[in-house]
Every structure is written in C-alpha cells, then in structure tokens.
Amino acid sequence: MTPRTESAPRPVPALSDAPRNELLQSVVDVARAIFGAAASSVLLLDEEADELVFQAVSGEGQEFLVGRRFPAGRGIAGWVATSGEPMVVDDLTAAPSFDRSLAESTAYVPNSLMAAPLISESRVLGVLEVLDPSPQARSSVRELDLLAMFARQAAAALRVIIPEPVAAPGLAAAGPVLVGAQREDALRLLGSLEQVLRGTA
C-alpha cells in the first residue's frame, strides 16, 4: 500500500486488549452464523509493518491463527485491504488473486470466500473474511452488500476501542479504556446490526 505520511502509523493493539478482542470475536461469530460459513476472520492492518494480522477467528483455524501475520499485499485479503472494495469468489481455484500457498500455510484451504474492508473515516483498518459461505449467501450480490455493511458498522464500533495514533513515532499508544456506556454502545451496535442482517438475509 502507499505509505501514509500525514501521521504516525497506528500500531495493532496488543492481543491482551480484552474489550477489543471481545468485540472482534463477536464480529466473526455473527458473520459466520449469518452467512452459514465454515469460518470467518478479522485481519487488522499493521501499517508500520505493512502486514495483515489475524486478530479474531471463528470456525476453522480459530485455535492457532490469531496473531499470525502475512504481507498486506498478498492474497484476496490483501487485495481488499489495498483496494477498499469487497469481493466474492465462488471458485477460488480459478481466482488469480487467490494465494493458495498462503492458504495452505493456515492449514485450511477454502473453496469460496467473501471479503469486505473494515473502513472508518476513509481509512482501511483491516478486512473481514467469510470462508466457504453457504451457496445461497455467495450467489447474491445483495449478500455481499450485507457483508460490506456489516464490515462498515464493525469498523465504526472498532474505532470506539482502538486509540488514535500517537503524536510521535516510537511512543507506545495509551491503552484504551472502554467502560460503561462506550463498551455498551459498541456491542449494542453489533447486536442491532445482527438483527437487521438476520431479518433481511
């Protein structure tokens, strides 16, 4: 991706950030259930390292993928993060942007997937992927629109939790304090969106 020069890169928050992890796990669990998928994952963009990092996984790979990194330009997730556009692929064997070696390294090679960028205030925070969704879900452009809407709302909730970039490079970002109304608002946003998606899917 084109390096950002207007501010210090935002570090990916530590995996010990329990409120952030709870929110992201809710995102992948709900996405997997709504789209009848074998797995779902959220990858956050580490701009400084130019890598995507598995931050939450539901289904296949959830035992060992969290924390794993790969170059931000690789695979379909990399394409979605770079372009800022959602993508659905019914047959990954015929998709030139699919990085099979990368998938094999995760011990799960899907046949199809849907992916949407996590965008907040015109900034790509990461990618939401749904692997091997039900045939009904992946056969409809409307379903991809629903996934993209879910990703946008998840990104908005995520921005409540992830702190703003620090003023100077090399300084650790202050840990977010998500208590009371802020935490409830973030989780309520996801809960409301889940009801909307389940009612229209």
Side-chain angles (χ1 to χ4, degrees):
M1 297 182 65
T2 302
R4 302 175 189 275
T5 58
E6 70 276 16
S7 62
R10 179 193 305 274
V12 173
L15 291 177
S16 60
D17 182 353
R20 192 280 321 278
N21 290 345
E22 180 181 356
L23 173 65
L24 292 182
Q25 193 61 46
S26 296
V27 169
V28 293
D29 287 343
V30 169
R32 181 186 173 206
I34 288 174
F35 296 99
S40 178
S41 58
V42 163
L43 303 99
L44 293 186
L45 180 62
D46 183 337
E47 293 177 324
E48 185 174 17
D50 195 26
E51 293 176 328
L52 286 168
V53 187
F54 281 97
Q55 294 286 19
V57 179
S58 179
E60 296 286 344
Q62 66 183 29
E63 300 87 359
F64 56 86
L65 279 179
V66 173
R68 180 158 187 169
R69 295 168 169 264
F70 63 91
R74 289 185 64 181
I76 289 176
W79 184 91
V80 170
T82 301
S83 68
E85 296 293 333
M87 174 184 281
V88 58
V89 183
D90 290 326
D91 181 7
L92 288 170
T93 61
S97 56
F98 179 57
D99 191 328
R100 179 164 291 274
S101 64
L102 178 61
E104 289 173 347
S105 73
T106 69
Y108 178 65
V109 181
N111 297 310
S112 60
L113 67 75
M114 303 166 66
L118 296 168
I119 299 177
S120 179
E121 298 178 359
S122 300
R123 182 172 192 165
V124 176
L125 303 179
V127 177
L128 170 62
E129 284 191 329
V130 175
L131 308 179
D132 286 327
S134 68
Q136 180 181 4
R138 65 176 182 262
S139 64
S140 170
V141 172
R142 175 173 163 272
E143 297 297 324
L144 184 60
D145 288 342
L146 289 176
L147 181 67
M149 180 176 71
F150 187 28
R152 286 194 300 272
Q153 296 302 317
L158 194 59
R159 285 298 290 265
V160 175
I161 294 176
I162 294 181
E164 289 302 308
V166 294
L171 296 179
V177 179
L178 190 70
V179 295
Q182 279 189 322
R183 182 175 181 279
E184 291 174 5
D185 287 347
L187 294 177
R188 187 181 303 115
L189 178 60
L190 284 181
S192 299
L193 185 60
E194 177 183 2
Q195 292 179 0
V196 170
L197 290 174
R198 288 189 184 280
T200 59

